[in-house]
Each structure stands twice: as C-alpha cells, then as structure tokens.
Amino acid sequence: MGTQAYQDFFTVTDNECDTENRMTLSAFLRRVQQVATDQCDALLLTSAVYRRTHTAFLLAKAVVEVYTDVPAGTKITLRTQPSCAQRAVYYRYTTFQNEVGTVLAAVDSRWILIDTDTKRILRQAPPEVQNCFALPPAAQLDVTVQKCAEAEVVSQQTASYTRCDGNRHINNTVYADIVLDAMPTEQLLTHSAARFAICYHHEVPLCEKFTLLRGKTKNNTYYFIGKSETAKHFEAELTLRPKPILNSDK
C-alpha cells in the first residue's frame, strides 16, 4: 500500500483565498499537511503507532511552486506521493491539478523521523513506518533558500494562541502567512506568489517571541529569517511575479 500515490478531491473555498481571490500559500500547505495525514491513516500509520514506537515526523524543508493563480471555486485533484528515506530524509511530492489535469501548483516537502525520547534523527525506521514509504522520490523541486547578509528587521512576532497547534508551537503552515504579511500590501496587490521555500530550524513554542528580518536577493525575490536571542527558527525565500495587465475597452 505504501508504494502507491494517494488522491483526494476538493473545491477551493473562499476562506482559503486572499483579498485577490487567490488560494494562499498557507492554504496549499494546509491541504498537503492534511492529505499526508489522511494517507498515513489509510496505511494504518496512526498517532497510536507513533506513540508506541516513540517516533515523530518533523518537517525540515518545503517549497510551494504556484504556476497560476488558483481562485475560489476551482475543483482540485490533490495527488501526493511519499517516498523512502534518502539519507534520513523522507520526501513527499504533491500536485494540485484542475479538472483537465493541468498542474496548477506543486509542493515538495522534506521530513525527518526522530526518536521522541532522545530527540535524535532516526536513520533506521521501525517496520511500521519503513513499510509505508517504499518508493524513491516521485519528483523533486528546488528547495534552496538563498541567504542575504543585508536582511533588516521588519517586525516582532509572537507564537500566539491561534498560530499554534496541538504541539504547542507555531504550526508549519503559518510561517507563509507571516512572511506574506511582512511584504508591502501594495506589492501583494500587484503581484502573485510564485514560489515559497522554507527551512525549519527550531520550533517557536506558545507565547515565545522572535524577530523577523527581510532582505532582497534579486528582482522580486526576498529572503526572510526568524530568530530570537537563543535560536534561529526558520529561513525562507519568497518570489513574486507581476500580475498580468488586462486590456480594457476604452
């Protein structure tokens, strides 16, 4: 069962979209997070198994590529394929396709399996986990985050109650919102998010604070880093593309 891709179907809802009626980066990531959970449940890789084996998957890196704006009402086929570990990293490639099979967006997420007692990365997974992820990676995207030495402080952030999940730290999907909200609104109204890559370093626990810095690496591409006095929490890269100019009748 673990050698097969998994599919789900949904219609993009209004509350998954921004002010320009575009599905947000965080909405893509939430859909991937949920379909991964659904597939693992179908494979009987449930929370009970993780508790029994004292293991947990942590998201290490992810990239979202959006090839065209996805408005509310779009009917989506969500197809996801996990893979076996490559040097202790588990890959998951997920596509968002419309009704005619065109790929509108894709997400490449990289996971590590840890021992919850020792907090160490496991290179040899328990059989229950190992048997679920047997194929090599179906496809890969560039997850590189280009650093910028001239990043400047743009805001102070808090792991507030609504940003955190049951693990009592900021949910992985929320960082995309944090990054977009740190961009000038005028720029977001005239551009669309084309690519978002993120590298997770250290979780931000409930009520903890961190500083968000931003730098520009090239035209329409920005580097972000979130850090506190004790840790570097994440690094991210956001690439925007100009919205097409529509001709109007005079």
Side-chain angles (χ1 to χ4, degrees):
M1 294 177 66
T3 61
Q4 300 177 359
Y6 184 84
Q7 285 194 163
D8 195 11
F9 307 91
F10 72 96
T11 300
V12 179
T13 60
D14 290 334
N15 63 5
E16 292 180 297
C17 296
D18 62 13
T19 60
E20 300 297 288
N21 197 37
R22 303 169 296 200
M23 190 172 177
T24 65
L25 294 170
S26 60
F28 286 113
L29 291 169
R30 284 195 297 271
R31 287 288 184 175
V32 171
Q33 188 178 73
Q34 187 59 52
V35 77
T37 299
D38 292 344
Q39 182 182 27
C40 287
D41 286 344
L43 295 170
L44 304 181
L45 185 55
T46 63
S47 57
V49 173
Y50 293 127
R51 287 195 299 271
R52 185 173 67 251
T53 58
H54 302 275
T55 59
F57 275 108
L58 298 181
L59 186 57
K61 295 180 179 181
V63 60
V64 185
E65 291 187 356
V66 185
Y67 308 120
T68 186
D69 290 346
V70 181
T74 305
K75 297 183 184 300
I76 297 292
T77 297
L78 193 58
R79 182 179 176 85
T80 189
Q81 174 67 65
S83 72
C84 57
Q86 309 289 310
R87 294 185 178 180
V89 177
Y90 293 79
Y91 290 53
R92 179 177 287 275
Y93 180 72
T94 307
T95 57
F96 295 72
Q97 301 178 30
N98 63 12
E99 292 180 287
V100 297
T102 302
V103 177
L104 308 178
V107 177
D108 183 346
S109 51
R110 313 283 176 89
W111 301 79
I112 55 174
L113 186 69
I114 67 162
D115 182 313
T116 54
D117 293 331
T118 65
K119 307 300 181 183
R120 293 183 177 180
I121 297 174
L122 293 175
R123 295 187 176 274
Q124 184 65 38
E128 297 98 321
V129 177
Q130 198 171 43
N131 295 337
C132 288
F133 307 117
L135 287 182
Q140 297 180 44
L141 301 176
D142 179 11
V143 298
T144 303
V145 172
Q146 183 178 343
K147 298 179 183 293
C148 177
E150 299 179 355
E152 298 180 348
V153 174
V154 289
S155 63
Q156 300 294 324
Q157 300 287 327
T158 302
S160 56
Y161 179 82
T162 58
R163 287 177 165 182
C164 296
D165 56 25
N167 296 311
R168 292 207 166 194
H169 58 70
I170 293 179
N171 184 270
N172 295 324
T173 67
V174 172
Y175 292 101
D177 287 336
I178 292 174
V179 163
L180 281 175
D181 285 341
M183 293 294 296
T185 302
E186 297 78 9
Q187 193 167 6
L188 296 179
L189 294 176
T190 57
H191 292 72
S192 298
R195 178 180 180 271
F196 174 72
I198 183 166
C199 181
Y200 302 93
H201 296 300
H202 292 282
E203 62 191 29
V204 185
L206 178 66
C207 296
E208 293 294 319
K209 300 181 184 297
F210 68 91
T211 300
L212 182 67
L213 298 90
R214 183 187 69 207
K216 190 172 184 179
T217 55
K218 53 186 175 181
N219 190 34
N220 287 329
T221 298
Y222 300 85
Y223 167 78
F224 291 85
I225 181 170
K227 60 183 181 180
S228 61
E229 294 182 357
T230 58
K232 178 168 65 175
H233 298 289
F234 75 96
E235 294 175 279
E237 184 175 88
L238 173 69
T239 299
L240 303 176
R241 62 167 172 267
K243 290 173 61 177
I245 300 175
L246 301 178
N247 293 324
S248 56
D249 296 331
K250 295 183 179 180

